[in-house]
């Protein structure tokens, strides 16, 4: 069939072509999938599918029941299905200046135990401002495409990915399992044309190419994605059945050879001087690239070193994103509002006359804290030359990437004559309780605890959030609704677990309410019941204790293993001294500030009572130890001291923890083993005094089977 420009097709022609395409693609599928005898080339197949989807996008009413667009990947009627990533999709830590890059190099060398002069190469490439996508190929066929989601579980956008020209459906010569990762983006020209088409058709226009790319990929109807001009740069990988190469650069070369677009501005740099020179070169070309980039990414080139460096909780140690300076604009500050967060922090928010900053309309920005408004830092040292910020001022707003916009500067020459210095509230605007600022804390906090509705609601939102109790059907919106409910209030976490019995006592009225029905109420009660069994780490994180994040909660849970043991230890640490206190702060990764916050939370009567009421409804599962079936050091507390010669301290620690050991910084009666290298001093002596087993580095490596 002759290829007419899609814009010129009449409805009848479009219907005829869709029928034709359904047949031809159907035959090609049968030949390929059922008979394993493809009759057309991959490129022809891809082109047919794209044309089919594009015609459907222009004539949605003509979309056929047997549309080929619906025959690939998961059907996505009620939203996207979720797909767990075989290998987590992580983010990158950020650097903002040259010094950060030199420090990055130093920390990589230190971790690896490399001297300042040892050769160490990095790749440097543009950081594409789009959205990341993971493409899974099995036996050379694209079987799944997933967005990053929360890094562990993404959205299944397979059908959509099939419609993107730069994503091959079939690869030849690829490992049996290959997950290609990269960025979906839209060029400036395509973005402008798309917005023109959208506004002519009375449709939604996009604020910037990144939003347009994300909005186009995350479409429930793949035909819409097909009609959007999306592109893809490959820059990383996930699961692999066989390594791609020995270096980052060669691995990316292989992805290019397999048919992926890779970024031509990638360079190999021998250290920070070359990295920064390449950064300057990319920055100089930024405006003429034709697509948005927001920085440069550096990666250790040697993949064996990448593996040794490994990951922190959400970012690799072997890579860093060097961001371009933020974008700026001036506008008027109309008001300062105070928001009260989960830990009672009073956060000032600037309400601004809306202004476009780097393509995004900004009307709110953070003002950090009261010192920042007053023009000084927490030590009283002037910032912005000591200029304070007042309502009515002209202020400079900046944003960098997804970071919340900030107010950076004030134009005193435009300050209204009658302006007055801002007085930061000393009582909570939500509950009227005193708002106190403790010594050393930059933030003023409401002392109302759970009686402060803002704190209580934020704590409850955190409690039900995905990484905490993750209760289906009980999200932020429902928490707000139930908090103020006269019949079925949820004022503290324990109330969630009495919701069903309270509703029963209240004549099962929930199901009759607006927005609820028998099924949704039943589903909610079931979802709540499902979470009565909860992991120790999750529970601890869900409590929302200041400074105790997810990673720390899990670390603490792995250390104490079960809840009663933990409770006893926390009780024993009251007063911040004694063996239980030493044990707590001895956990590598738990600092004194976190430990104090934890112990104080449990020592506070009202908070403790609320936790006890909650735990009474739960079956708390002991923490899972790392996979340590044959580990000789599982559960043991190990202290490293002195110089290690075959690996760095950080590596030794990471390995020991992977084997289920607890690594502590200090020797105490609870220490099981001390590994002492040359130069070990007081710790080795203390170990000898306490009669604790002490090994040298080789002895340790022998013990863990690494010699
Ligand atoms: S490497 C383990 N390289 O930036 C991390 N990421 O801010 C692998 N991004 O989530 C990522 N350009 O979506 C990498 N050349 C590039 C990139 C890049 C853009 C994105 C990616 C990542 C985010 C982190």
């Amino acid at each position: 069939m002759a290829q007419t420009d899609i814009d010129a097709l009449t409805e009848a022609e479009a219907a005829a072509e869709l029928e034709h395409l359904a047949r031809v693609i159907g035959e090609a599928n049968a030949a390929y999938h059922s008979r394993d005898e493809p009759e057309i080339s991959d490129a022809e197949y891809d082109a047919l599918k794209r044309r089919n989807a594009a015609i459907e996008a222009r004539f949605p009413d003509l979309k056929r029941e047997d549309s080929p667009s619906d025959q690939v990947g998961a059907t996505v009627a009620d939203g996207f299905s979720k797909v767990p990533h075989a290998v987590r999709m992580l983010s990158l830590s950020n650097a903002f200046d040259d010094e950060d890059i030199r420090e990055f190099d130093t920390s990589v060398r230190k971790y690896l135990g490399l001297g300042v002069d040892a050769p160490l190469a990095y790749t440097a490439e543009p950081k594409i401002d789009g959205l990341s996508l993971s493409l899974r190929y099995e036996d050379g066929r694209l079987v799944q495409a997933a967005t990053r989601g929360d890094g562990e579980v993404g959205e299944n956008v397979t059908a959509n990915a099939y419609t993107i020209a730069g994503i091959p459906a079939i690869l030849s010569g690829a490992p049996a399992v290959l997950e290609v990762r990269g960025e979906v983006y839209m060029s400036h020209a395509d973005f402008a044309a798309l917005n023109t088409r959208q506004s002519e058709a009375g449709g939604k226009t996009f604020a910037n190419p990144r939003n347009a790319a994300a909005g186009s990929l995350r479409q429930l109807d793949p035909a819409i994605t097909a009609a959007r001009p999306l592109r893809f740069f490959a820059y990383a990988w996930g699961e692999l059945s066989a390594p791609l190469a020995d270096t980052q650069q060669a691995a990316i070369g292989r992805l290019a050879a397999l048919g992926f677009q890779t970024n031509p501005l990638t360079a190999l740099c021998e250290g920070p001087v070359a990295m920064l020179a390449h950064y300057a070169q990319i920055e100089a070309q930024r405006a003429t690239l034709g697509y948005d980039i927001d920085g440069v990414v550096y990666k250790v080139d040697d993949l064996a070193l990448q593996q040794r460096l490994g990951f922190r909780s959400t970012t690799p140690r072997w890579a860093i994103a060097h961001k371009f300076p933020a974008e700026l604009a001036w506008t008027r500050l109309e008001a300062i509002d105070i928001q009260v967060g989960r830990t009672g922090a009073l956060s000032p928010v600037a309400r601004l006359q809306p202004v476009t900053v780097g393509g995004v309309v900004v009307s709110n920005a953070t003002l950090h804290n009261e010192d920042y408004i007053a023009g000084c830092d927490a030590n009283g040292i002037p910032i912005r030359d000591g200029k304070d910020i007042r309502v009515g001022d002209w202020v400079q707003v900046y944003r960098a990437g997804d970071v919340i916009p900030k107010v950076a500067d004030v134009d005193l020459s435009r300050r209204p004559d009658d302006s007055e210095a801002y007085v930061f509230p000393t009582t909570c605007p939500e509950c009227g309780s005193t708002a106190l600022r403790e010594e050393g804390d930059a933030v003023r906090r409401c002392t109302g605890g759970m009686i402060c509705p803002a704190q209580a609601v934020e704590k409850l939102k955190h409690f039900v959030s995905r990484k905490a109790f993750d209760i289906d059907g009980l999200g932020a919106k429902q928490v707000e609704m139930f908090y103020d409910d006269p019949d079925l209030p949820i004022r503290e976490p324990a109330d969630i677990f009495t919701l069903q019995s309270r509703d029963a006592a209240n004549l099962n009225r929930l199901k009759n309410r607006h927005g609820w029905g028998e099924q949704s109420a039943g589903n909610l009660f079931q979802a709540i019941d499902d979470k009565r069994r909860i992991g120790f780490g999750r529970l601890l994180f869900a409590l929302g204790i200041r400074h105790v994040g997810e990673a720390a909660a899990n670390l603490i849970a792995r250390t104490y293993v079960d809840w009663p043991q933990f409770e006893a230890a926390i009780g024993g640490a009251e007063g911040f001294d004694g063996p239980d206190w030493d044990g707590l702060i001895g956990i590598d990764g738990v600092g004194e500030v976190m430990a104090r916050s934890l112990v104080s939370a449990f020592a506070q009567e009202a908070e403790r009572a609320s936790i006890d009421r909650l735990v009474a409804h739960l079956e708390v599962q002991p923490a899972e130890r790392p996979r340590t079936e044959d580990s000789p050091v599982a559960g043991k507390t190990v202290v490293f001291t002195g110089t290690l010669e075959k690996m760095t301290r950080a590596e030794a620690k990471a390995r020991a923890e992977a084997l289920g050991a607890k690594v502590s910084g200090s020797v105490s009666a609870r220490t099981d083993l001390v590994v002492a290298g040359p130069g070990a001093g007081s710790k080795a002596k203390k170990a000898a005094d306490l009669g604790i087993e002490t090994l040298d580095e080789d002895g340790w490596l022998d013990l863990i089977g690494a010699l």
Side-chain angles (χ1 to χ4, degrees):
M1 193 173 269
Q3 290 256 305
T4 315
D5 184 349
I6 289 170
D7 287 339
L9 282 176
T10 64
E11 213 169 307
E13 287 169 333
E17 191 170 352
L18 286 179
E19 185 190 350
H20 170 76
L21 286 167
R23 192 162 35 78
V24 176
I25 296 171
E27 279 167 12
N29 278 339
Y32 186 88
H33 292 293
S34 314
R35 301 197 294 277
D36 251 356
E37 281 171 0
E39 288 171 356
I40 58 174
S41 74
D42 302 340
E44 280 173 283
Y45 180 83
D46 285 352
L48 289 173
K49 290 213 56 165
R50 266 198 288 280
R51 181 157 175 92
N52 180 73
I55 298 174
E56 287 176 347
R58 194 174 153 225
F59 299 101
D61 292 338
L62 297 183
K63 187 168 170 194
R64 300 167 58 86
E65 292 270 335
D66 61 346
S67 164
S69 307
D70 295 338
Q71 290 165 13
V72 186
T75 46
V76 280
D78 296 314
F80 301 101
S81 58
K82 305 274 179 243
V83 273
H85 294 297
V87 173
R88 272 197 309 156
M89 281 183 89
L90 295 169
S91 110
L92 293 168
S93 51
N94 291 323
F96 297 98
D97 58 28
D98 296 2
E99 190 47 39
D100 290 345
I101 300 310
R102 287 188 280 270
E103 272 173 21
F104 167 66
D105 177 59
T106 308
S107 71
V108 167
R109 284 174 186 278
K110 190 165 163 213
Y111 192 96
L112 295 171
L114 293 177
V116 277
D117 296 326
L120 181 60
Y122 298 88
T123 57
E125 70 203 68
K127 183 170 186 305
I128 316 299
D129 198 6
L131 77 155
S132 47
L133 183 66
S134 184
L135 303 166
R136 186 176 174 91
Y137 291 85
E138 288 176 5
D139 298 323
R141 291 179 194 169
L142 176 60
V143 293
Q144 183 175 288
T147 60
R148 179 167 133 196
D150 64 0
E152 280 170 25
V153 177
E155 288 162 338
N156 186 344
V157 290
T158 312
N160 303 9
Y162 268 105
T163 72
I164 298 175
I167 295 181
I170 289 172
L171 305 176
S172 73
V177 175
L178 166 63
E179 284 184 1
V180 177
R181 292 183 174 171
E183 203 85 351
V184 172
Y185 69 101
M186 199 176 279
S187 75
H188 291 160
D190 287 341
F191 166 69
L194 171 66
N195 263 358
T196 308
R197 280 204 304 280
Q198 293 284 106
S199 65
E200 278 170 8
K204 170 181 160 61
T205 56
F206 297 96
N208 54 45
R210 202 195 91 86
N211 287 3
S216 300
L217 180 67
R218 300 181 63 257
Q219 283 287 341
L220 293 181
D221 181 356
I224 299 180
T225 309
R228 302 276 172 82
L230 294 175
R231 298 166 193 247
F232 180 77
F233 270 128
Y235 52 64
W237 53 90
E239 195 182 357
L240 294 174
S241 55
L244 288 171
D246 292 337
T247 63
Q248 175 77 25
Q249 203 182 35
I252 296 302
R254 267 204 76 193
L255 295 182
L258 287 169
F260 292 93
Q261 193 192 8
T262 57
N263 199 287
L265 296 177
T266 307
L268 196 64
C269 302
E270 299 283 344
V273 173
M275 288 151 86
L276 295 172
H278 193 59
Y279 173 90
Q281 230 182 57
I282 292 178
E283 194 179 24
Q285 293 182 62
R286 183 180 184 189
T288 56
L289 289 178
Y291 52 88
D292 276 352
I293 63 172
D294 57 348
V296 172
V297 182
Y298 309 112
K299 300 171 185 167
V300 170
D301 189 43
D302 183 326
L303 297 183
L305 296 184
Q306 279 193 10
Q307 179 140 28
R308 276 180 63 194
L309 285 155
F311 300 88
R312 298 178 207 95
S313 63
T314 59
T315 55
R317 284 194 193 88
W318 43 264
I320 197 161
H322 188 176
K323 303 295 277 284
F324 291 135
E327 303 189 70
L328 304 166
W330 286 90
T331 189
R332 217 180 77 91
L333 175 60
E334 293 183 329
I336 296 176
D337 284 349
I338 301 288
Q339 285 178 351
V340 182
R342 168 165 62 87
T343 58
L346 267 51
S347 305
V349 178
R351 304 294 180 204
L352 305 163
Q353 199 170 325
V355 62
T356 304
V357 189
V360 171
V361 178
V362 170
S363 44
N364 302 311
T366 175
L367 286 164
H368 304 284
N369 53 49
E370 59 188 291
D371 288 339
Y372 192 81
I373 298 177
C376 59
D377 70 9
N379 302 317
I381 297 167
I383 50 173
R384 294 185 304 273
D385 298 329
K387 288 179 276 184
D388 68 332
I389 296 173
R390 301 182 180 188
V391 173
D393 273 343
W394 279 84
V395 292
Q396 189 187 48
V397 181
Y398 80 95
R399 57 180 286 275
D402 284 339
V403 175
I404 305 167
K406 295 180 174 142
V407 169
D409 204 359
V410 186
D411 184 349
L412 290 185
S413 71
R414 300 176 82 180
R415 174 168 280 176
D417 291 339
D418 58 353
S419 80
E420 284 173 19
Y422 179 74
V423 181
F424 204 90
T426 50
T427 52
C428 171
E430 296 286 341
C431 70
S433 303
T434 307
L436 277 186
R437 191 171 161 187
E438 281 173 17
E439 214 179 301
D441 194 351
V443 170
R444 189 172 286 278
R445 288 172 203 277
C446 162
T447 52
M450 289 300 268
I451 68 140
C452 172
Q455 274 190 67
V457 167
E458 291 309 314
K459 265 193 178 245
L460 283 163
K461 284 184 191 169
H462 171 79
F463 184 84
V464 298
S465 65
R466 215 191 60 74
K467 293 192 167 173
F469 269 66
D470 189 21
I471 298 174
D472 266 355
L474 192 61
K477 216 174 75 193
Q478 290 78 11
V479 161
E480 277 175 9
M481 185 199 90
F482 278 118
Y483 187 82
D484 286 325
D485 195 296
D487 297 325
L488 269 184
I490 295 181
R491 292 290 170 99
E492 63 168 23
D495 294 342
I496 295 172
F497 295 93
T498 57
L499 194 69
Q500 183 169 14
S501 56
R502 287 185 293 134
D503 187 43
N506 195 29
L507 306 172
N508 297 313
R509 286 199 192 122
L510 180 62
K511 64 175 192 270
N512 300 325
R513 292 194 190 182
H514 179 68
W516 290 88
E518 178 119 30
Q519 180 151 10
S520 55
N523 287 348
L524 175 62
F525 297 144
Q526 184 59 51
I528 292 172
D529 271 349
D530 289 347
K531 296 294 158 82
R532 286 180 198 269
R533 261 169 84 97
I534 194 85
F536 173 7
R538 249 181 206 265
L539 167 62
L540 183 55
F541 172 63
L543 296 179
I545 296 168
R546 211 171 134 211
H547 303 298
V548 184
E550 191 195 10
N554 286 323
L555 185 67
I556 293 167
R558 281 200 300 274
T559 306
Y560 293 102
V561 184
D562 68 23
W563 184 261
Q565 212 166 309
F566 161 74
E567 269 188 315
I570 294 296
E574 233 185 282
F576 313 131
D577 57 15
D580 284 321
W581 172 251
D582 291 343
L584 181 62
I585 57 169
I587 302 172
D588 209 18
V590 175
E592 177 147 356
V593 172
M594 189 196 299
R596 277 183 181 266
S597 170
L598 195 59
V599 172
S600 308
F602 277 78
Q604 217 197 5
E605 224 171 283
E607 178 123 13
R608 177 59 199 260
S610 165
I611 296 172
D612 288 346
R613 280 193 292 274
L614 167 67
V615 172
H617 295 287
L618 304 176
E619 205 182 303
V620 185
Q621 302 298 298
E624 268 183 38
R625 290 179 180 280
R627 262 188 275 127
T628 52
E629 295 87 55
D630 307 318
S631 166
V633 294
K636 301 214 164 151
T637 300
V638 181
V639 174
F640 291 97
T641 179
T643 311
L644 299 181
E645 290 167 328
K646 300 202 168 143
M647 62 177 78
T648 61
R649 191 69 78 74
E651 271 186 286
K653 172 172 180 284
R655 275 212 212 178
E657 283 174 350
L659 289 166
K662 209 163 61 184
V663 178
S664 173
S666 57
V667 176
S668 73
R670 289 163 188 258
T671 309
D672 295 300
L673 180 64
V674 172
V675 181
S682 60
K683 288 184 195 172
K685 187 172 172 304
K686 187 164 177 192
D689 292 347
L690 292 170
I692 295 165
E693 185 184 356
T694 302
L695 295 175
D696 63 9
E697 188 175 3
D698 278 347
W700 161 254
L701 290 173
D702 190 27
L703 175 69
I704 63 169
L707 254 194

